[in-house]
Amino acid sequence: MSGHLAIVGLGPGDPRYLTPEADAALAAAQSLYGYGPYLDRLQSRSGQSRCASDNREEGARAAAALREAAAGASVAIVSGGDPGVFAMASAVCEEIEAGPETWRGLDVIVVPGVTAMLAVAAKIGAPLGHDFCALSLSDNLKPWELIERRLDAAAGAGFVIALYNPVSRLRPWQFGAAIDRLRRHLPASTPVIFGRAVGRSDEHIDVVTLDRAGVTAADMATLVIVGSPATRVIRRSGRSPLVYTPRAAAEVSL
Amino acid sequence: MSGHLAIVGLGPGDPRYLTPEADAALAAAQSLYGYGPYLDRLQSRSGQSRCASDNREEGARAAAALREAAAGASVAIVSGGDPGVFAMASAVCEEIEAGPETWRGLDVIVVPGVTAMLAVAAKIGAPLGHDFCALSLSDNLKPWELIERRLDAAAGAGFVIALYNPVSRLRPWQFGAAIDRLRRHLPASTPVIFGRAVGRSDEHIDVVTLDRAGVTAADMATLVIVGSPATRVIRRSGRSPLVYTPRAAAEVSL
């Protein structure tokens, strides 16, 4: 089996986040698969084909790439951020497990990247500096009740919470409901960070408090970080604030 | 205030993970501060000084770097992985908040990197493909009872769990105790991944089941990922297994 499949993390939307390993994997590929806007970020290379698909078609995209690799090609699938965080690496594994035995013989590698929560955190200080979790707010693939249970567990135990996929056109109310849920556990003054399009020309970062977070604009390109009761804001004259979570735990009632 | 401080993530221990942004920040620095083994990874640049310190001296290192930046220098502090995840970015913010007002006027940037859990996950498939959390097992800066409470909350709610700092010379029993605690919530067959020195020449990855994880060797260079009840293992003849967590939630009793 000579085919090869690389699942490549591009990092946030700027080449300065692309690792040398990812760049080499892209250069070695005969075919690139991915969500159109991610492919559009990449330079053209002669002799390299591209297959763009929509962002709700991960399974079909993974299967198409596996078929081409199984035919002997060197194929890369691209993900924004890290391919292992709410992205293409799981979709490929799902297809391998469900697919023909020959797909298990393929050389498959995952090339990690800077995932959105790390990029947003870096822009504002160190909000993920203590224990944290990453939770997708999309209820396309899990029941809303499970999301609520996880929000309760994470906030109740003092984790900082990174919310992926907070809002989409077809999921208009979930983000507000999640913020309402978190208010049961966290003080109104808890810092909440909205990082939109980090690493792109239209990048925008907002810091608000939890009591005002439900009405702050978020969209599909936004990553939200909700602090813990220990998260702090350093005001700076003439500069944006620093938001961070200290390395030592605050006093927590057990 | 002309000084400048960059807190730079090197990624796991190989230049192929170093982003162009991190490389540029290192090249622009007059002085580098960091844990000795991290500084040793970097090429020498003429005219650039180095100040190595031990891995228990983060606060003192941050303060020394801030003092030099406040005197007008361009300074970089390096972290393995990502500086915002159990690393130097929080230590610097702590010193800024506690330090002289002039430190708040400094230009401080954080350059994100590929943190260990992403690198380990990429080596084995996609274990972080669904909701997950990152938890440091060091009880130097928080009570052990709080760590137990967070393990209970995370495992009970179906998060995959990445364990940073599982073991050190001065913390010999905590990792075994954490695995025992997780057994209260998770099946004996839950996959547990040990990633040691990922990205270095002595890299080693092991996958065991939770009932055998307590006796598996771990050290300061190990990152452990404990699956959720949904995490799956794909056996492959002649290749290492793929471990992944599907994008869709498994049935969970609420």
Side-chain angles (χ1 to χ4, degrees):
Chain A
M1 182 71 58
S2 62
H4 177 87
L5 177 63
I7 311 161
V8 181
L10 305 182
D14 187 283
R16 71 179 185 271
Y17 293 116
L18 189 76
T19 67
E21 185 186 32
D23 197 44
L26 295 173
Q30 297 167 293
S31 296
L32 300 182
Y33 287 75
Y35 176 48
Y38 295 149
L39 291 176
D40 291 343
R41 293 185 198 168
L42 305 174
Q43 60 174 291
S44 294
R45 288 182 165 100
S46 72
Q48 192 176 57
S49 67
R50 293 184 175 213
C51 182
S53 45
D54 195 67
N55 68 352
R56 296 286 293 274
E57 297 173 3
E58 287 88 357
R61 179 191 306 145
L66 283 159
R67 277 192 296 273
E68 186 174 347
S74 182
V75 176
I77 299 182
V78 302
S79 270
D82 180 87
V85 177
F86 307 119
M88 285 306 299
S90 279
V92 170
C93 289
E94 290 166 19
E95 296 298 321
I96 290 173
E97 188 171 20
E101 182 66 28
T102 50
W103 287 1
R104 298 186 185 211
L106 284 170
D107 184 26
V108 175
I109 68 161
V110 181
V111 179
V114 173
T115 183
M117 66 179 166
L118 301 184
V120 170
K123 287 286 170 187
I124 197 72
L128 305 178
H130 195 71
D131 303 328
F132 64 92
C133 67
L135 177 65
S136 169
L137 278 192
S138 170
D139 55 356
N140 293 331
L141 294 167
K142 61 190 167 190
W144 181 253
E145 294 69 25
L146 180 59
I147 295 174
E148 288 185 334
R149 182 181 166 195
R150 289 181 179 164
L151 291 168
D152 290 345
F159 287 98
V160 173
I161 303 172
L163 297 174
Y164 281 73
N165 308 314
V167 175
S168 78
R169 197 169 46 81
L170 298 174
R171 293 183 292 104
W173 57 265
Q174 284 84 343
F175 178 64
I179 293 295
D180 283 344
R181 191 84 186 184
L182 291 172
R183 287 200 188 107
R184 299 185 183 187
H185 305 278
L186 297 170
S189 59
T190 304
V192 180
I193 300 153
F194 290 73
R196 194 182 174 285
V198 163
R200 306 202 320 234
S201 57
D202 52 342
E203 168 182 306
H204 188 77
I205 310 267
D206 263 326
V207 181
V208 303
T209 49
L210 185 62
D211 55 336
R212 297 182 50 201
V215 298
T216 306
D219 65 10
M220 280 179 63
T222 305
L223 184 286
V224 178
I225 299 176
V226 180
S228 77
T231 303
R232 302 182 62 79
V233 178
I234 307 176
R235 302 284 166 197
R236 301 189 298 172
S237 137
R239 292 192 181 276
S240 57
L242 290 170
V243 183
Y244 80 104
T245 309
R247 296 167 300 153
E251 292 299 317
V252 176
S253 55
L254 293 169
Chain B
M1 182 70 58
S2 62
H4 176 87
L5 177 62
I7 311 162
V8 181
L10 304 182
D14 187 283
R16 71 179 184 272
Y17 293 115
L18 190 75
T19 67
E21 184 185 32
D23 197 43
L26 296 172
Q30 297 167 293
S31 295
L32 301 182
Y33 286 75
Y35 176 47
Y38 295 149
L39 290 176
D40 292 343
R41 292 186 198 168
L42 304 174
Q43 60 174 292
S44 294
R45 288 182 165 100
S46 72
Q48 192 177 57
S49 68
R50 293 182 177 215
C51 181
S53 45
D54 196 65
N55 67 353
R56 295 286 294 274
E57 298 173 3
E58 287 87 358
R61 179 190 305 145
L66 283 160
R67 276 193 297 274
E68 186 173 346
S74 181
V75 176
I77 299 183
V78 303
S79 270
D82 180 88
V85 177
F86 307 119
M88 286 305 298
S90 279
V92 170
C93 289
E94 289 167 20
E95 296 299 321
I96 290 173
E97 188 170 20
E101 182 67 27
T102 51
W103 287 2
R104 299 187 186 210
L106 285 170
D107 184 27
V108 175
I109 67 160
V110 181
V111 179
V114 173
T115 184
M117 67 180 166
L118 301 184
V120 170
K123 287 287 172 186
I124 198 72
L128 305 178
H130 195 71
D131 302 330
F132 64 93
C133 66
L135 178 63
S136 169
L137 277 192
S138 170
D139 55 355
N140 294 331
L141 295 167
K142 61 190 165 190
W144 180 253
E145 294 69 27
L146 180 58
I147 295 174
E148 287 185 334
R149 182 181 166 196
R150 290 182 179 163
L151 292 168
D152 290 345
F159 286 98
V160 172
I161 303 172
L163 296 173
Y164 281 72
N165 307 314
V167 175
S168 78
R169 197 169 46 81
L170 298 173
R171 294 183 291 104
W173 57 264
Q174 283 83 343
F175 177 64
I179 293 295
D180 283 346
R181 191 83 186 185
L182 292 172
R183 286 199 189 107
R184 298 185 185 187
H185 305 278
L186 297 170
S189 60
T190 304
V192 180
I193 300 153
F194 290 73
R196 193 181 174 286
V198 163
R200 305 198 324 231
S201 57
D202 52 342
E203 168 182 307
H204 188 76
I205 311 268
D206 263 327
V207 182
V208 303
T209 48
L210 185 61
D211 56 336
R212 297 183 51 201
V215 298
T216 306
D219 65 12
M220 279 178 63
T222 305
L223 184 288
V224 178
I225 298 175
V226 180
S228 76
T231 304
R232 303 182 62 78
V233 178
I234 307 176
R235 302 285 167 196
R236 301 189 296 173
S237 131
R239 293 193 180 274
S240 58
L242 290 171
V243 183
Y244 81 104
T245 309
R247 296 168 299 153
E251 291 301 316
V252 176
S253 56
L254 292 169

